[in-house]
Structures are given as C-alpha cells and as structure tokens.
Amino acid sequence: MSLSNQGVGAEGLLAAQSVLGAPSDMVGNDGRVEELWAMKAIEHAEVYFNLLCSVEPARLKLSGSQELDDQIYKDFKESFPDLNIAKLTEEDIKNAEAKVAWREFSNRYKHVEDFSLGSLVRMDSSKDYSEENTMLSIKIQFFAIEIARNRDGLNDSLRGNFKPTPRAPKVKGKPVVTKGGVNMAEIEHELQQVLGGQHQLLQS
C-alpha cells in the first residue's frame, strides 16, 4: 500500500478537517489533531486492505454484526440504486444532491459507534489505496460502500492481484514523531481528553 501512516502522502488529507468528525471540530484548526485523525484513517485503510488480500471479502462483518451489516447493505442498495460502487468519483459523495442523500442515510446510523469518524475509501474497487485512488468519507459511508463491494464480489479479485503488506511493529517506549515533528503520544493524550470532555479548550 502506497499510503504511509508516518505522514507520507497525508498532506492533502490534512486539509479535510470537516470530514474527519466531531472531535477535530471541537478543537478548531489544531493541525496536530488533524494529523492524528489522518494517521488513524491511513492505519485503518492499511489494516482493511490487508484483510481484503487475505480472506474472502463476503465473510467480513465490517460493523461487527451480521445483522447490522445486513441492514446497512439493504438500506444502501435502496437509497443509492444507481451508484457505481466499482468506480466511485468524489462527486458521488460530495455534489449537492449526493450530500443531501448521504446525510439522510448517515443520520439513520447515529447509533453506530463513531459513525461520522473520518475514513478513506478507494475510488476504484479493483485497485489499492493510493493518493490518486483515495477519497475521504465518514465511517458509515465506508461501511455502506465496502459492505456492498464485498457482497457484490467487487473486492474478490484483490486476493489474486495483491498480497498482504507486513506491518512494522510499534517500538515500545519510542514515541512516534511525524514528518512535521509532532509527537503523536502527546496528541493521543490530548485526543483522549477531548473525547472525554476534559480538554482545557472544552472548559467554560
């Protein structure tokens, strides 16, 4: 996979704060939080693509529940019957009409944990994640699109065309520092404070 969770290729993603979910909105334009969310989205994409290269995609339960996956799949197919999920464009998610339809769809899944968290979606389902083949979405859009791709067989060819990429082990005690010199352990701590409502920026 050509995206890196050390900030390589993520610069363009950092500008998309509004898509990356509520916590980054709560702290305004803090570039460190944006960078953390981008890194988390890239890490998630790497893990997911390795899964697609390793197991039969139709067997995956992306939401963690077969029942919820079934509900999302049925609702998605009814809500977006003409969407070409094999080859998406940014317009499929971001034009004015699509935004309204996606907002209505997404609001039905507010009960799904982190439903509006930033995620990365491959535009062409036959290809790996890359800067040219990746767009930002929210988690429920990722679930809907990828559950449908998995069940419709659009991700089946990946196991024959790609091999899982071994992930570098995290070194204990060594802080992760991005290209911009940001210590991600500090950001992780701040993010936990934000999520718990304890961050100083959230205090009145």
Side-chain angles (χ1 to χ4, degrees), residues 3-201:
L3 294 173
S4 165
N5 67 357
Q6 296 301 315
V8 177
E11 288 82 2
L13 301 175
L14 299 178
Q17 173 187 356
S18 62
V19 184
L20 295 177
S24 62
D25 290 344
M26 287 192 291
V27 295
N29 294 324
D30 188 334
R32 299 172 308 159
V33 174
E34 292 176 31
E35 190 164 355
L36 176 65
W37 283 113
M39 287 176 63
K40 291 289 187 186
I42 291 168
E43 186 174 332
H44 175 265
E46 289 176 343
V47 170
Y48 178 64
F49 195 77
N50 274 344
L51 277 172
L52 292 177
C53 296
S54 305
V55 300
E56 185 181 338
R59 297 178 59 200
L60 295 173
K61 295 178 193 137
L62 296 189
S63 70
S65 157
Q66 184 69 46
E67 183 179 331
L68 183 54
D69 274 19
D70 291 345
Q71 178 187 347
I72 292 169
Y73 179 73
K74 181 177 184 293
D75 190 3
F76 175 69
K77 288 300 213 174
E78 291 171 357
S79 300
F80 302 94
D82 302 320
L83 185 61
N84 179 5
I85 57 171
K87 291 194 176 180
L88 292 170
T89 68
E90 294 218 15
E91 287 295 301
D92 292 328
I93 289 182
K94 298 183 179 171
N95 73 44
E97 185 178 330
K99 281 183 178 180
V100 171
W102 277 112
R103 188 176 304 113
E104 290 174 3
F105 177 86
S106 300
N107 284 338
R108 292 195 288 272
Y109 296 95
K110 286 184 175 182
H111 63 283
V112 174
E113 184 178 354
D114 297 329
F115 84 104
S116 64
L117 187 69
S119 293
L120 302 177
V121 171
R122 292 168 301 124
M123 295 163 74
D124 183 335
S125 63
S126 69
K127 297 180 180 176
D128 194 352
Y129 284 95
S130 67
E131 288 189 57
E132 299 76 28
N133 193 45
T134 303
M135 67 178 168
L136 286 165
S137 70
I138 60 171
K139 186 175 180 179
I140 194 61
Q141 290 171 319
F142 169 84
F143 278 174
I145 292 164
E146 289 298 329
I147 289 168
R149 284 176 169 175
N150 291 342
R151 292 186 178 196
D152 295 353
L154 295 171
N155 285 331
D156 287 352
S157 66
L158 296 173
R159 278 182 298 154
N161 297 331
F162 298 94
K163 297 296 175 219
T165 305
R167 301 191 67 214
K170 293 184 179 178
V171 180
K172 288 188 177 183
K174 182 180 178 187
V176 175
V177 179
T178 67
K179 280 180 18 177
V182 176
N183 183 330
M184 295 316 293
E186 293 174 5
I187 303 306
E188 287 270 8
H189 177 69
E190 279 192 53
L191 183 59
Q192 291 305 318
Q193 288 182 318
V194 168
L195 295 174
Q198 304 300 315
H199 194 277
Q200 61 184 3
L201 295 175

